[in-house]
Amino acid sequence: MNPWNTRFENENYVYGTEPNAFLADMQPKLSLSGDALAIAEGEGRNAVFLAEQGLDVTAWDYAQSGLMKTTKLAESCGVSVETALVDLNVAEWGENRWDELVCIFGHFPKELRQKTLQGVKAAVKPGGYFITEVYSIHQIPYKSGGPRELELLYTPEEFLEAFVDWRIVHFFMGEVVRNEGELHNGLSHVIQFVGQKPIK
């Protein structure tokens, strides 16, 4: 049983339909364009936002119900988002495929997290960006959303070590307020990372 498929089966969008505030803030600063991939995208709010900015967007998720809601949201907003049912454990990332790659609150066990970050490194085109906001290991006491298991939360070292050879455009760990649908509400402890793949 896939718990995410069950979570997204309701009509309502449990994380809302507005984009993540960090992604919405970074998009104009980076002048994002071209082909974008949003992984662990859930119900599509961030993918649809990027499509509204003129990007060609693909959304990956492990829950078919989430992808169906992504398509529905895109249609209601007059844009198109390609969707694919992808288990990140066996994802085929490819090399230099995407101008931007986005992961917003995508939380996985440590081994899969490290595997995913390496997949991201390969898949972003030279000069392209990886943009992410996730809950840090300090999030649990805040009770404002996210996993309740420490193993599923991120440390700053994971990004700094995985992307040591990239240009770090933005890095932050600390408190932010998030109000995203029913499940992300209030003061939170996050890690934000934007890295640009070097052009060799």
Side-chain angles (χ1 to χ4, degrees):
M1 179 64 72
N2 181 344
W4 292 102
N5 206 55
T6 303
R7 175 171 290 186
F8 297 146
E9 280 179 344
N10 295 327
E11 284 291 315
N12 61 312
Y13 284 73
V14 296
Y15 297 109
T17 57
E18 295 299 312
N20 168 258
F22 174 62
L23 177 62
D25 182 55
M26 293 307 299
Q27 191 279 329
K29 292 179 180 178
L30 299 174
S31 300
L32 301 179
S33 62
D35 298 317
L37 173 65
I39 64 170
E41 175 52 12
E43 302 163 302
R45 62 196 177 101
N46 299 301
V48 169
F49 165 75
L50 291 173
E52 289 178 320
Q53 311 310 308
L55 284 77
D56 294 318
V57 185
T58 298
W60 285 3
D61 202 84
Y62 186 46
Q64 186 63 50
S65 60
L67 296 175
M68 291 171 65
K69 290 169 83 172
T70 296
T71 300
K72 181 178 177 181
L73 181 61
E75 290 174 350
S76 71
C77 294
V79 296
S80 177
V81 172
E82 186 83 17
T83 62
L85 185 65
V86 175
D87 179 349
L88 292 176
N89 286 286
V90 293
E92 296 182 6
W93 291 94
E95 296 279 340
N96 303 328
R97 289 178 59 187
W98 307 99
D99 295 295
E100 287 84 33
L101 206 152
V102 174
C103 178
I104 302 298
F105 297 118
H107 290 268
F108 328 108
K110 185 173 183 179
E111 184 177 346
L112 178 56
R113 244 182 3 252
Q114 294 174 342
K115 184 178 180 180
T116 298
L117 292 179
Q118 292 306 311
V120 167
K121 285 192 73 176
V124 174
K125 295 177 183 178
Y129 295 98
F130 174 47
I131 304 155
T132 185
E133 179 174 86
V134 291
Y135 289 117
S136 84
I137 55 171
H138 303 293
Q139 169 62 14
I140 290 176
Y142 286 76
K143 296 181 170 48
S144 51
R148 311 310 298 163
E149 300 171 51
L150 192 63
E151 191 210 1
L152 298 176
L153 299 169
Y154 289 78
T155 66
E157 290 83 2
E158 289 179 272
F159 295 103
L160 298 175
E161 291 172 4
F163 295 93
V164 66
D165 53 340
W166 283 34
R167 183 173 76 94
I168 296 179
V169 177
H170 174 95
F171 184 84
F172 169 82
M173 183 172 79
E175 293 184 334
V176 299
V177 175
R178 289 290 173 258
N179 293 296
E180 302 178 330
E182 304 167 13
L183 300 181
H184 287 175
N185 281 288
L187 189 66
S188 309
H189 204 281
V190 303
I191 296 172
Q192 300 169 346
F193 176 86
V194 178
Q196 184 178 33
K197 189 172 186 174
I199 300 173
K200 296 179 180 179

